[in-house]
Amino acid sequence: MTSTPPISLRPKQPAEEMGATDAFHPRLPAALTAQMAKLFSGGYSLIPLGGADGKRPTVRFRERKRLPLASVLERMAGGGNTTYGIRLDGLLVVDVDTDTPEARDYVERRFGACGYTTRTGRGFHLFFRHRGKRPAPVRLPGIAIDFKMGENEFVVGPLSERPDGIVYQPSGLLAAAEHLPVFMDHFEDTKELGHGRRRVARGGRHLALKREGYRLALTAATFEELAAGLRRYRDTLIEAPEDFPDRRIDSLASWFWEKREAGRLYGRGNSTVSIPRRAIRLLAHQGEPLAFQLYSMLQAAHGHVPSKTFAIVPDGIRNSGLIKAGRSQLYAAIEVLIRTRLIVRVAKGTRNREPHQYRLVPLQELQEEGEGSMLTLVPSAGTGSRNLARKEQAA
């Protein structure tokens, strides 16, 4: 294992301790159980590992809820194992199998700084929050990277010791799961320049610089560090960097820094979602908490585009972990939202099992009873089907 230090190890929150609770087992190392307790109290789901390589689950965990920490420790101790896994529900781990200068440079350019890494037998892990699609594996000269994500996948946790003596050494401080940085792929919407290097093409450069500015503002210790990082990104990863002189870069950095200092550095994860009072009165106050939860999720996902049509697939919602309820309960919640005129069904599913299509009723149409007409016209262009134009009575 190389002694080269991993990339960007400064933690996002140096004083973060994740509210760890004490954990102890007489047959397990104290440092290991303390590390697991910190992770568990920080929201991570852990599983016991074992086998000849120390990397195989010793319990069935697929589709199961989070196991109690005491059960994980007891199973490890009973099998004489000192390895455990971190399940990746809502998380993505960049699994770098080649700890080379080329790999470290590639990772920092493509995914940016991460305040925490775990050294593995061949490389290192970087942790992010993520619920999007899985990136394709990377196979370049001196660079081998895989991506692990989802509640049915896991990585070996820090301070685990495999039977061959390899210890997964942590570097930096692993923040609570909800405080991990959001995964950003800075090579999206870019074009290949050869040898694995890419630059953001014209037309997407300003948006790319804004994304990088937001990411840097989450981790930079000073304004100077933020501005320097943004200039470095401009110089190495966008086409025609001369179109963005230092004064433009500094202005963008100043904007992000001011938002951060004012506590207003908002991203998708902490932006505001508007919930009309009528929805609260009809659902939350009348004993329909699941329908209210579903409606809140729909507003968060689609409320910014009122005319957008969308499907509501209970199995998909359950598998994503966004709402943990039964299929029949979710179908009932959908009917409640239709009955209370908070959404309208604009298209029925087809015989080949395509789902129904729905639309949120715009906020301005959610009037109290007696305040006017609530007739909703759905244009055929907005339904995605030639035969779906219809009038929906919403009051």
Side-chain angles (χ1 to χ4, degrees), residues 25-341:
H25 196 287
R27 288 177 286 169
L28 294 174
L32 174 64
T33 57
Q35 175 70 77
M36 294 175 65
K38 289 180 181 180
L39 294 174
F40 189 82
S41 62
Y44 295 91
S45 179
L46 310 179
I47 58 172
L49 302 180
D53 59 359
K55 298 167 62 176
R56 297 186 179 183
T58 58
V59 296
R60 296 183 62 181
F61 69 93
R62 299 177 71 86
E63 311 296 342
R64 293 183 60 181
K65 295 181 179 179
R66 189 166 76 146
L67 301 173
L69 178 58
S71 299
V72 178
L73 295 175
E74 186 60 37
R75 179 59 69 102
M76 291 169 58
N81 303 312
T82 52
T83 52
Y84 68 97
I86 300 176
R87 295 174 66 181
L88 302 177
D89 185 15
L91 305 177
L92 179 145
V93 165
V94 179
D95 183 5
V96 184
D97 283 333
T98 49
D99 192 1
T100 63
E102 296 86 358
R104 291 194 300 274
D105 177 68
Y106 180 93
V107 166
E108 185 149 11
R109 286 188 297 109
R110 181 170 177 180
F111 309 116
C114 177
Y116 177 88
T117 63
T118 299
R119 282 198 168 282
T120 66
R122 293 179 294 181
F124 50 90
H125 292 158
L126 294 89
F127 289 75
F128 298 92
R129 284 185 292 135
H130 182 61
R131 286 196 180 276
K133 63 181 181 180
R134 184 198 306 266
V138 177
R139 297 293 185 269
L140 296 169
I143 304 172
I145 302 174
D146 292 304
F147 302 89
K148 298 180 179 180
M149 57 179 287
E151 66 176 349
N152 292 327
E153 294 191 23
F154 67 93
V155 293
V156 179
L159 292 187
S160 291
E161 182 175 359
R162 298 188 332 211
D164 60 5
I166 295 295
V167 178
Y168 284 63
Q169 293 288 357
S171 186
L173 187 65
L174 184 56
E178 62 180 349
H179 295 146
L180 286 174
V182 176
F183 176 76
M184 295 184 182
D185 187 346
H186 300 295
F187 283 8
E188 287 181 337
D189 304 322
T190 63
K191 63 182 183 180
E192 191 72 49
L193 297 182
H195 303 292
R197 294 184 60 85
R198 304 184 182 198
R199 290 181 182 270
V200 180
R202 295 177 184 273
R205 297 176 301 172
H206 185 67
L207 178 59
L209 284 166
K210 287 175 63 178
R211 287 175 176 172
E212 180 67 4
Y214 174 78
R215 184 193 67 78
L216 289 169
L218 293 174
T219 58
T222 65
F223 167 76
E224 289 72 20
E225 183 180 334
L226 191 161
L230 206 51
R231 292 191 205 102
R232 183 167 60 252
Y233 183 88
R234 171 203 61 188
D235 294 340
T236 59
L237 284 176
I238 69 171
E239 284 189 341
E242 64 275 8
D243 292 347
F244 293 85
D246 284 355
R247 57 179 176 79
R248 290 187 63 182
I249 296 298
D250 290 347
S251 176
L252 185 61
S254 296
W255 189 88
F256 278 110
W257 189 257
E258 291 171 3
K259 294 296 183 183
R260 166 179 157 166
E261 293 297 282
R264 298 174 58 195
L265 189 63
Y266 298 140
R268 292 184 65 183
N270 55 3
S271 57
T272 300
V273 177
S274 297
I275 304 295
R277 288 188 175 89
R278 181 173 184 266
I280 298 174
R281 178 179 62 80
L282 288 174
L283 301 176
H285 291 181
Q286 296 186 18
E288 296 289 353
L290 181 58
F292 182 73
Q293 185 181 4
L294 176 60
Y295 180 70
S296 301
M297 188 189 78
L298 295 175
Q299 280 286 2
H302 309 295
H304 59 296
V305 186
S307 62
K308 181 178 180 180
T309 61
F310 50 84
I312 307 177
V313 183
D315 285 343
I317 294 173
R318 295 173 68 236
N319 292 338
S320 71
L322 293 174
I323 297 180
K324 296 187 182 298
R327 181 188 303 166
S328 60
Q329 292 173 303
L330 284 167
Y331 277 118
I334 294 171
E335 293 304 316
V336 169
L337 295 182
I338 295 174
R339 188 173 67 249
T340 53
R341 306 178 181 96

